[in-house]
Amino acid sequence: MGKRSRQYLEPSQDIKVTATTKIWGLTVIMLAICIPLSKVTRSGPIIPLAALLGATASTLAIWRSDEKKLKPPYLSGQETKLLEQRIANLETIVSRDDFYLHQKIQRLESDVTADVRNQVTTPENKA
């Protein structure tokens, strides 16, 4: 597969092609090692066939896998902007609520200190 045709593949297809290429490349290496060893060990075609079956099963698993699982981990520019806007809105809400809460606490503290001052200065408490 040339460079031109790879440009037109979706990212999930590109991953599948890359994985399949690696699987079969390693299988060829295993066969190159196993075939001479099968003659020496007298195991027959069991080991090379196991390598071929493993590569075939792996290839089928890759190409039949669910597309949702292979969705790229990155977000598009539009999704990123949307998330940034939502975060900014949340920060505004939290900041505003925090500011109002801080104002309420200050108001309550001033009310409590005013009540304490009033209780200390009233004539009933002096008697």
Side-chain angles (χ1 to χ4, degrees):
M1 201 168 260
K3 290 183 180 179
R4 280 189 176 177
S5 59
R6 285 191 134 201
Q7 291 175 353
Y8 300 110
L9 291 175
E10 294 178 20
S12 64
Q13 297 292 326
D14 190 35
I15 291 170
K16 290 178 179 182
V17 170
T18 303
T20 304
T21 304
K22 287 182 181 180
I23 288 171
W24 283 100
L26 291 172
T27 303
V28 168
I29 293 170
M30 285 188 274
L31 288 173
I33 295 169
C34 291
I35 291 174
L37 284 178
S38 66
K39 289 182 182 180
V40 174
T41 60
R42 296 181 186 172
S43 63
I46 295 172
I47 297 174
L49 283 176
L52 287 173
L53 287 174
T56 304
S58 300
T59 303
L60 287 174
I62 287 171
W63 285 93
R64 290 185 177 215
S65 65
D66 190 13
E67 290 295 325
K68 293 177 184 175
K69 293 179 183 174
L70 292 176
K71 189 174 181 181
Y74 56 87
L75 298 173
S76 69
Q78 199 173 31
E79 290 173 328
T80 304
K81 287 180 183 178
L82 179 66
L83 286 174
E84 287 175 354
Q85 289 174 351
R86 292 177 72 184
I87 289 171
N89 287 341
L90 288 172
E91 287 175 345
T92 303
I93 292 168
V94 169
S95 299
R96 187 175 356 140
D97 289 346
D98 188 35
F99 177 73
Y100 290 142
L101 182 62
H102 186 64
Q103 280 183 337
K104 285 181 182 179
I105 290 172
Q106 284 181 342
R107 201 174 324 128
L108 287 172
E109 286 177 346
S110 64
D111 290 347
V112 167
T113 54
D115 287 344
V116 169
R117 285 183 191 156
N118 286 340
Q119 288 179 354
V120 170
T121 58
T122 57
E124 296 171 352
N125 290 338
K126 290 183 180 179

